[in-house]
Amino acid sequence: MNNSVSFADVNGNRARDYRGRLAPSPTGLLHLGHARTFWIAARRAQEHRGTLILRNEDLDPQRSRAEFVQAMLEDLTWLGIKWTEGPDCGGPYGPYSQSERRSHYLEAWRRLLDNGWIYPCTCSRKDLALAASAPNDVDDEPIYPGRCRELIKPSQVDAPAGANWRFRVPEWKTIAFDDLHLGSQSFVPGKDFGDFLVWRRDDVPAYQLAVVMDDALMKITEVVRGADLLKSTARQILIFRALGLPVPAYYHCDLLRDDRGERMAKRHDSAGIRHLREIGLTPDQVLRKAETLLASEQNPGS
Ligand SMILES: [Zn+2]
């Protein structure tokens, strides 16, 4: 068992054996885009003779459903994807469901607070709507204008509940990383994204914080995910650095478009793995279908 983070130990994970992860959130049924990303993650773990971990990202109690957890386990198994650590089979770095890992996220929150990286934001939704510039990406959070940055000096805070906590991004300092599939990437905090949430007012840790802690504690060496999360990766690198944790390698997969050219989302039932399985497609046919939907403008000819 090794459930504690050694913040001082920044000797990278990379020299160790390959550990990859599948990290679906049970907020809907898996679709072709997930199938392809998870298939690539499984293949890369296999090629490296590594370990594949399944992590159930059921952080949001409002949106996560137990029946979707069951469905994703079944669909992944049907696709022929095998993992050796996960909520269904256990492992040395569990628990493997985010809803059971709150103590780790609190530890990170405390550490970030003590080092001045985060601050409570009391802006209402209305304040933010009035002040914020519109984000470039509709799925992204608006760039926070920084209103609460210097307002409150938190001293005696025991728990994050009751405020939105934001990460103070180092503005205009480029964050660059080499993606193993898409090549060199760079983002500029303050322009591409602003002070982002690490803990929500309703006392739910934000995705970015949870994922960083989990990847560190589960000793993940390579993250395979969709290219829609590139900007999110830049945010996560800031958190890894702030916590003194080793940053994993990244492999961002090309996104898929549906027949109408729109980005694949969980609402597209016709692209659901469950649906394709029910109409008689084999796992191979499902994966081949996914290849035909690759968004050409995001495929750099590789
Ligand atoms: Zn604020």
Side-chain angles (χ1 to χ4, degrees):
M1 286 293 274
N2 182 4
N3 273 335
S4 67
V5 177
S6 168
F7 287 103
D9 174 20
V10 290
N11 300 322
N13 276 335
R14 304 240 180 125
R16 296 179 211 158
D17 292 339
Y18 183 102
R19 288 176 59 83
R21 86 302 201 273
L22 314 165
S25 28
T27 56
L29 292 168
L30 300 183
H31 61 61
L32 280 171
H34 302 117
R36 186 171 181 278
T37 300
F38 294 148
W39 182 256
I40 292 170
R43 199 189 61 202
R44 289 187 63 80
Q46 208 170 26
E47 282 168 2
H48 290 85
R49 296 171 198 274
T51 304
L52 190 63
I53 291 107
L54 177 72
R55 185 166 75 222
N56 171 24
E57 299 209 328
D58 61 345
L59 199 58
D60 190 335
Q62 306 295 324
R63 296 173 63 226
S64 301
R65 300 271 181 279
E67 64 261 34
F68 289 137
V69 178
Q70 200 48 44
M72 80 196 182
L73 295 177
E74 283 172 24
D75 289 347
L76 288 168
T77 303
W78 178 79
L79 282 165
I81 294 172
K82 295 187 181 74
W83 55 94
T84 52
E85 295 176 28
D88 55 333
C89 52
Y93 302 103
Y96 292 90
S97 290
Q98 289 190 324
S99 59
E100 297 167 32
R101 300 178 60 79
R102 186 179 161 87
S103 61
H104 298 305
Y105 310 143
L106 274 173
E107 187 189 347
W109 172 80
R110 167 57 62 190
R111 178 88 186 181
L112 292 171
L113 176 63
D114 288 349
N115 288 293
W117 284 105
I118 56 173
Y119 61 89
C121 166
T122 54
C123 296
S124 67
R125 228 169 263 239
K126 202 175 147 202
D127 293 336
L128 294 175
L130 287 174
S133 51
N136 302 326
D137 181 344
V138 284
D139 290 340
D140 207 359
E141 61 186 63
I143 293 180
Y144 180 67
R147 185 171 160 268
C148 299
R149 257 194 170 204
E150 313 300 337
L151 272 185
I152 308 150
K153 295 266 178 279
S155 49
Q156 299 293 313
V157 193
D158 296 322
N164 282 317
W165 290 82
R166 292 184 184 277
F167 188 95
R168 195 188 301 273
V169 301
E171 287 179 305
W172 307 104
K173 281 193 181 163
T174 303
I175 303 162
F177 61 97
D178 281 322
D179 187 79
L180 292 169
H181 179 57
L182 297 176
S184 69
Q185 303 291 319
S186 69
F187 295 95
V188 179
K191 175 172 147 288
D192 292 320
F193 57 86
D195 290 356
F196 56 88
L197 288 180
V198 295
W199 207 281
R200 291 175 4 193
R201 199 193 309 264
D202 58 358
D203 205 18
V204 176
Y207 166 78
Q208 318 287 2
L209 179 80
V211 165
V212 164
M213 277 308 266
D214 290 344
D215 284 340
L217 287 165
M218 294 177 183
K219 315 275 188 210
I220 301 301
T221 60
E222 183 181 289
V223 173
V224 177
R225 51 161 59 143
D228 53 331
L229 291 172
L230 277 166
K231 219 190 272 185
S232 172
T233 294
R235 292 182 175 103
Q236 290 173 24
I237 288 172
L238 285 174
I239 303 180
F240 275 111
R241 288 181 186 163
L243 291 172
L245 294 169
V247 181
Y250 289 95
Y251 184 109
H252 287 82
C253 303
D254 301 308
L255 299 180
L256 305 190
R257 307 270 156 186
D258 66 11
D259 300 336
R260 285 165 300 177
E262 282 172 34
R263 211 174 85 197
M264 198 88 34
K266 282 180 179 164
R267 62 185 174 276
H268 288 117
D269 293 340
S270 63
I273 296 170
R274 182 128 310 201
H275 170 75
L276 297 170
R277 186 176 150 185
E278 280 164 8
I279 61 170
L281 267 66
T282 65
D284 267 1
Q285 287 171 324
V286 166
L287 292 164
R288 274 208 298 274
K289 186 175 167 66
E291 295 301 316
T292 67
L293 296 174
L294 274 175
S296 54
E297 72 274 16
Q298 305 206 358
N299 189 345
S302 59

